[in-house]
Amino acid sequence: MNDGALPGTTDQARRLLLALRAGPEELFRLVHDPDPLVVRNLLKNPHLNEDHLLVLLKRRDLGEDLLKALHQRFREGASHRLILAMARNPDLPAAIALSLLPHLYLFELLDFCLLPGMTPDQRLAAERQIIRRLPEIPLGQKITLARRGTNAILAELVKEGHPQIVGPCLDNPRLKEVALLQFLRTGAATAETISQIARHPRWQHRPNLKMAILKHPRTPMVWYVCWLPALKGTQLKELLHSRNIPAEKRQRIRDLLNRRG
C-alpha cells in the first residue's frame, strides 16, 4: 500500500503521516500505536470517529496530556458512552474527570467508585454525586446501593433509618462500625433498626456498638435482658450515668449492681 511516505523517511515519520491520512479501518490498528505523537496525529484525522475513540480510551498508557487533547477535541457533542469511557480512564486529569461525573447515571457512578486505579479525590467526587441524588432515588435502587455501595454511601443510607435499607447495609462488607455509631446518635434510629444491628452476626459482639445500643432511649428491653448480665461493673455504671436511658431501664441496671454488691 502506498501511504504517501517519501523514500528514506523514518518509520516514525511514516506512521505520523499515516495517522493523518488513514481510512476508518486502518485507524483501528493505529489507535494501538505506542508512540504518543502518532496517537496525537490521529486526533486530526477526519475519519476518526467515536468507535475509534472507544477503543483508544481502553488503553491505560495514554498519559494526561494526550487525554486532555482528546477531551478538548471531542468534548462538544460527545455521546454518553464516550463520556463514560473517558471518565473511566484512570489517567484522565482529575479536573476533567470531575466535570464528567454529573453526566453519569447512578450505577455508572457506583461502578466508578469501585474501579481500581481511581484516585481518592475522584472516588470521593463520585460518592458525593450519588449522595446528592439520594433524596430522589426510589427505594428499590437504594436497596441495590445498600448491597453494593462504598462506606460513605452506606453511612448516608443508614441515616435514613429505613429498615429495608438498613438490613442490606449491615450485610455489606464495606460498611464500617463508625457509620453505625453515628447512626445510633441520631433520632432516626428506631426500635426495629436498633434490633437489626443488635441481632446481626457481624455486629452484635462489638463492645462499642453494644454500649451505644444500650445507651439509646429506643432500645427494646430484650437487649438489656440479654446483655446486662455479661457487662462489667464499670460498664454498668457508665450506662447508669447516661442521660438517655429511660427510668425503667435505669432501675434494671441499679438492681443488677445491687445484686452484685
Side-chain angles (χ1 to χ4, degrees):
M1 182 183 72
N2 182 10
D3 55 23
L6 297 175
T9 57
T10 65
D11 179 64
Q12 183 193 45
R14 183 189 65 80
R15 294 184 351 256
L16 287 170
L17 186 60
L18 182 59
L20 293 172
R21 298 180 178 180
E25 291 304 317
E26 185 70 10
L27 284 172
F28 280 113
R29 182 181 65 82
L30 290 171
V31 294
H32 297 290
D33 195 293
D35 190 334
L37 294 177
V38 173
V39 178
R40 189 177 286 271
N41 263 14
L42 290 177
L43 302 184
K44 303 173 185 177
N45 189 310
H47 298 295
L48 188 73
N49 61 35
E50 185 174 292
D51 291 331
H52 302 120
L53 292 174
L54 292 173
V55 176
L56 178 63
L57 285 166
K58 291 180 181 178
R59 290 178 54 172
R60 296 297 181 261
D61 60 347
L62 296 178
E64 287 196 3
D65 289 342
L66 189 53
L67 285 166
K68 284 179 182 178
L70 196 156
H71 176 257
Q72 187 70 26
R73 171 73 173 78
F74 295 98
R75 64 181 177 179
E76 296 298 331
S79 71
H80 183 81
R81 65 177 186 158
L82 184 57
I83 290 172
L84 178 61
M86 191 174 296
R88 283 180 169 175
N89 192 297
D91 291 331
L92 189 69
I96 297 177
L98 298 184
S99 72
L100 298 179
L101 292 182
H103 301 285
L104 302 187
Y105 300 134
L106 176 66
F107 291 107
E108 291 172 346
L109 285 168
L110 182 58
D111 290 340
F112 188 88
C113 293
L114 303 175
L115 275 176
M118 294 297 107
T119 67
D121 286 345
Q122 289 172 325
R123 188 170 289 110
L124 178 61
E127 288 172 337
R128 285 176 175 171
Q129 279 289 329
I130 293 174
I131 291 168
R132 193 176 296 127
R133 299 182 193 183
L134 285 181
E136 302 171 358
I137 296 174
L139 178 61
Q141 291 187 358
K142 286 182 179 179
I143 293 173
T144 303
L145 278 178
R147 293 182 180 131
R148 297 180 52 206
T150 63
N151 176 65
I153 297 168
L154 296 174
E156 293 300 318
L157 287 170
V158 167
K159 286 178 185 177
E160 295 188 6
H162 197 297
Q164 286 182 264
I165 298 174
V166 171
C169 283
L170 295 175
D171 293 333
N172 189 319
R174 297 187 183 94
L175 181 66
K176 295 181 181 178
E177 182 176 332
V178 64
L180 295 178
L181 292 171
Q182 291 172 350
F183 170 62
L184 290 167
R185 297 189 191 106
T186 70
T190 64
E192 182 176 359
T193 52
I194 291 171
S195 289
Q196 283 180 294
I197 300 170
R199 63 174 173 261
H200 195 280
R202 181 185 170 197
W203 304 107
Q204 64 183 189
H205 300 299
R206 303 203 178 199
N208 291 337
L209 266 181
K210 187 175 290 189
M211 290 296 288
I213 288 171
L214 291 173
K215 289 177 180 179
H216 200 285
R218 294 177 185 158
T219 296
M221 181 63 82
V222 63
W223 301 111
Y224 283 79
V225 175
C226 292
W227 289 349
L228 285 186
L231 295 185
K232 298 177 182 178
T234 53
Q235 293 173 309
L236 292 172
K237 291 175 182 177
E238 180 183 341
L239 289 174
L240 192 62
H241 290 92
S242 176
R243 298 179 180 179
N244 296 326
I245 296 180
E248 178 187 6
K249 296 170 183 175
R250 194 181 300 274
Q251 186 58 49
R252 190 175 190 90
I253 298 169
R254 285 198 189 96
D255 291 343
L256 181 55
L257 281 169
N258 289 336
R259 286 198 300 273
R260 291 186 182 182

